[in-house]
Amino acid sequence: MLVLGLETSCDETGVALYHSERGLLADALFSQIDLHWVYGGVVPELASRDHVKRMLPLIRQVLAQAGCVPTDIEAIAYTAGPGLVGALLVGASCAQALAFAWGIPALGVHHMEGHLLAPMLEAQPPSFPFVALLVSGGHTQLVRVDGIGRYQLLGESLDDAAGEAFDKTAKLMGLRYPGGPEIARLAEKGVPGRFTFPRPMTDRPGLDFSFSGLKTFTLNTWQQCQAAGDDSEQTKCDIALAFQQAVVDTLTIKCRRALKQTGLNSLVIAGGVSANKALRESLEHMLGSVQGRVFYARPAFCTDNGAMIAYAGCQRLLAGQHEGLSIAVQARWSMETLPALRG
């Protein structure tokens, strides 16, 4: 089955073609970073308008890359949530219109399920069951995964998600949007040990997260340095390193607990923050000490993309799932409500 995948949950327009037997044939992505950076964050209305502008040219681009024509496409998968409603509606409307015109089925895909399954696109994919750490701008969750649609939430952030904390902390320090990559870039030049930040909620049992206090701690540290006349680039780097280490250590400690609690030794990390090198190295070291293994997607498939939606949609379409012509999206949507695939 050849599936066209469309991703428009936030500020990136992703389109891909995935074949159930031949794998990923083509993918294309347009990021709106240059459009939103002047505002310091995503402006929903501008994001929706740009998705409208980019969608059809990107579809033509992936068809040309794959050497396919519209009549070759057998189904369409699109992101139906969670995300920005206006942005989601662009992808959903386009998918349903094309599905109606071409006489093929369409299916709305859960955005975070797409992220969770993105490592399946790699040469050595993980096998079920495993623990998944989903870390993005909007989500930080630990999930036990026994199969597609068989998800048990183990823990989640009670306030800011990890990616959100990265972006907000960067903004408070006057760094360019998007903040996560900027923090990581500065951290590479930081001096270890100059600042020590707390590891929130690691001194108590459980698998939930909280990063709001860490963000405030970072702001107070930066303001204290400024008040003392030390607002140098090196100080920014040292604070960025201390912040990143605190987040990475917190995520690693919670992952270790989740693996011990479930008795599993395979960990999948997915979402935009999973591209962070320090996080990958920390989790690989932790898994190595318990003879386990960590899996993640290539950096291009850690952020929002059409390939993950095409793959996730393909698996569900092959199982017989599809929708009518109604256009429905969800700003909030729990993965635990998704139907499980048989087998």
Side-chain angles (χ1 to χ4, degrees), residues 36 51 72 75 96 105 107 118 150 152 156 160 167 169 175 189 191 209 228-229 262-263 282 289 298 300 303 315:
H36 298 287
H51 286 310
D72 294 328
Q96 291 288 14
L107 178 69
R150 299 170 61 191
Q152 177 189 356
E156 61 184 339
D160 290 350
D167 288 340
T169 297
L175 303 179
K189 304 174 185 177
V191 176
F209 304 89
T262 59
S282 178
S289 66
R298 70 198 74 169
T303 57
Q315 307 313 305

Side-chain angles (χ1 to χ4, degrees), residues 47-117:
S48 301
R49 291 173 180 269
D50 203 65
H51 286 310
V52 173
K53 180 180 179 181
R54 307 295 175 182
M55 182 59 68
L56 291 180
L58 286 176
I59 292 175
R60 297 188 187 100
Q61 180 180 329
V62 297
L63 283 170
Q65 288 177 355
C68 296
V69 294
T71 53
D72 294 328
I73 299 173
E74 298 172 83
I76 302 178
Y78 62 93
T79 304
L84 302 175
V85 170
L88 292 168
L89 283 171
V90 175
S93 301
C94 182
Q96 291 288 14
L98 292 177
F100 176 75
W102 295 340
I104 57 177
L107 178 69
V109 171
H110 193 290
H111 179 72
M112 295 311 295
E113 181 173 68
H115 275 303
L116 187 153
L117 297 177

Side-chain angles (χ1 to χ4, degrees), residues 131-165:
V131 171
L133 172 65
L134 303 178
V135 275
S136 67
H139 297 81
T140 299
Q141 298 177 326
L142 279 166
V143 182
R144 178 185 173 121
V145 181
D146 290 298
I148 297 178
R150 299 170 61 191
Y151 308 129
Q152 177 189 356
L153 181 64
L154 302 174
E156 61 184 339
S157 179
L158 303 179
D159 40 57
D160 290 350
E164 183 180 9

Side-chain angles (χ1 to χ4, degrees), residues 213-228:
L214 181 59
K215 175 188 64 182
T216 303
F217 190 95
T218 308
L219 174 62
N220 290 338
T221 301
W222 173 238
Q223 289 178 335
Q224 289 168 7
C225 290
Q226 287 180 307

Side-chain angles (χ1 to χ4, degrees), residues 239-304:
I239 292 175
L241 175 61
F243 171 81
Q244 178 174 268
Q245 285 180 327
V247 174
V248 168
D249 287 351
T250 300
L251 294 173
T252 302
I253 290 169
K254 296 287 185 172
C255 285
R256 183 187 294 115
R257 288 183 187 176
L259 292 168
K260 183 176 181 180
Q261 178 178 310
T262 59
L264 301 174
N265 64 356
S266 291
L267 176 71
V268 165
I269 55 172
V273 183
S274 68
N276 184 280
K277 293 180 181 179
L279 177 60
R280 292 189 178 195
E281 290 173 357
S282 178
L283 291 175
E284 287 174 349
H285 178 75
M286 183 269 289
L287 265 295
S289 66
V290 296
Q291 296 183 329
R293 187 173 178 187
V294 60
F295 298 86
Y296 40 77
R298 70 198 74 169
F301 292 163
C302 290
T303 57
D304 296 349

